[in-house]
Amino acid sequence: MNRKKIVAGNWKMNKTLSEAIELMSGILKNPGDNSVTKIVFPPYPVISAITNFVGASGSFSTGAQNCSEHASGAFTGEVSAAIIKSIGCKYVLVGHSERRQYFGETNAISSKKIKLALENKLNVIYCIGETLAERKANTHFDVVKTQLTEALQGIDPTNIIIAYEPVWAIGTGETATQAQAQEMHAHIRVCLKNLFNSDVANNTPILYGGSCNAQNAAELFACPDIDGGLIGGASLKADDFCKIIRSF
Ligand code: 13P
C-alpha cells in the first residue's frame, strides 16, 4: 500500500487577486518536497492567475471549490466542470459542508457533479462529515456511510479522494481528536470496501479537514488511515500552510 500524501488549501471566499498572488508567492518560497501532492483551491475568478503563477514551479496543482451539476447551458452564475478543466485545473471539491449547509447540496447533487468532473478528467475531492447534532445522536457513522453510498454508487473511484470534515470542527478551532479522526477514517475504508473492493479501500487517499493547523497536523497525519489534510483557515497564511505540508 502506497497511498499519496496530500495537502490541499481551500481558500473559500477569501483573497482578492493581488492578495492571492501574495499568498501563493509566500507559499512557493518554502513549498516542501515532492513526496507530497500539494493543491490550492482559490476562488473561481482567481484560479487562472494562480494556475499560471504556479505553472513554472510545477510543485502545486490548482482546483475549483465547486462545479455545476449541469454540463453547460443557461445557468447564470454557474461554472461547469469543462470550463474548470479548460483553465488548467486538475482538481475540484464536491460536497463541501458549506455547499450542503448554505446551498442545499445533497448527496444526489454531489453525485451528478462527481460524474461530470470525472468525465472532464478532473480529480475529485469528495467532502463528507457529520454535524454536531448527528455526532451527539451517535449517527455519525451512518451519516458518512450514506454520503459515500449515495454519491459514489456506480462511479469509477479511480480519481476520487475523500475528505472527512466533521462540520463541528470546521472553522471552530475544535479539531477532532486523533482517535476520533482515525476511527472515522477506518470506517470510511470499510464503506469503500463494501461499495467497491479492498483495493479501492486501501488505495483511496482520505484527508482530514476541520481546524487542522500547523500545531496539530503532525499528530493527525501520523494516524494510519489519514493521508493528509484539507485545510481552510490555516491555508490562508503561507508559513502555517508550509508547516502543514512538512508535517508528515
Ligand atoms: P478550517 O480549516 O478553517 O476549519 O476549514 C476546513 C475546511 O472546511 C476545508 O475545506
Side-chain angles (χ1 to χ4, degrees):
M1 179 181 43
N2 195 13
R3 287 192 297 269
K4 275 188 198 162
K5 298 175 196 161
I6 302 171
V7 173
N10 176 8
W11 295 358
K12 307 192 179 183
M13 199 173 70
N14 295 293
K15 303 293 172 188
T16 61
L17 177 59
S18 59
E19 290 166 350
I21 300 275
E22 192 187 335
L23 171 60
M24 200 64 230
S25 45
I27 295 170
L28 288 178
K29 282 191 188 125
N30 201 354
D33 68 59
N34 288 335
S35 66
V36 180
T37 299
K38 292 159 283 192
I39 315 160
V40 290
F41 290 87
Y44 280 141
V46 172
I47 299 173
S48 269
I50 296 297
T51 305
N52 296 337
F53 191 71
V54 298
S57 79
S59 54
F60 274 80
S61 298
T62 54
Q65 297 169 18
N66 182 30
C67 70
S68 173
E69 67 194 276
H70 304 288
S72 67
F75 298 101
T76 301
E78 289 290 278
V79 178
S80 70
I83 296 170
I84 291 165
K85 177 69 181 178
S86 77
I87 60 167
C89 280
K90 293 203 179 129
Y91 293 86
V92 63
L93 295 182
V94 175
H96 192 280
S97 67
E98 287 147 18
R99 301 296 318 167
R100 295 177 188 265
Q101 210 175 337
Y102 305 130
F103 303 97
E105 186 158 323
T106 60
N107 298 326
I109 292 174
S110 288
S111 187
K112 288 188 191 174
K113 293 183 178 190
I114 292 170
K115 283 185 191 129
L116 284 166
L118 296 178
E119 276 170 24
N120 285 282
K121 307 270 181 279
L122 288 162
N123 298 288
V124 171
I125 301 187
Y126 177 51
C127 306
I128 55 176
E130 80 285 358
T131 62
L132 185 59
E134 289 162 343
R135 182 162 277 267
K136 281 190 173 157
N138 208 26
T139 55
H140 45 298
F141 292 119
D142 286 341
V143 166
V144 161
K145 183 179 167 192
T146 304
Q147 289 171 332
L148 288 166
T149 309
E150 292 188 357
L152 298 183
Q153 203 136 45
I155 277 173
D156 175 357
T158 317
N159 295 319
I160 304 265
I161 296 159
I162 303 294
Y164 169 57
E165 301 203 300
V167 179
W168 47 271
I170 295 179
T172 58
E174 190 184 341
T175 318
T177 63
Q178 220 186 9
Q180 285 171 324
Q182 167 55 31
E183 183 185 37
M184 184 58 90
H185 281 231
H187 170 70
I188 292 167
R189 288 203 197 283
V190 173
C191 295
L192 291 174
K193 182 173 175 219
N194 293 337
L195 255 177
F196 301 104
N197 56 52
S198 310
D199 280 352
V200 172
N202 288 331
N203 294 329
T204 301
I206 308 179
L207 314 183
Y208 171 80
S211 298
C212 184
N213 58 39
Q215 283 71 48
N216 59 31
E219 189 179 302
L220 288 160
F221 296 176
C223 296
D225 288 301
I226 299 183
D227 304 306
L230 179 55
I231 318 299
S235 75
L236 300 173
K237 294 178 212 124
D239 286 352
D240 286 8
F241 191 57
C242 292
K243 263 189 211 144
I244 295 170
I245 292 168
R246 292 195 305 275
S247 294
F248 290 95

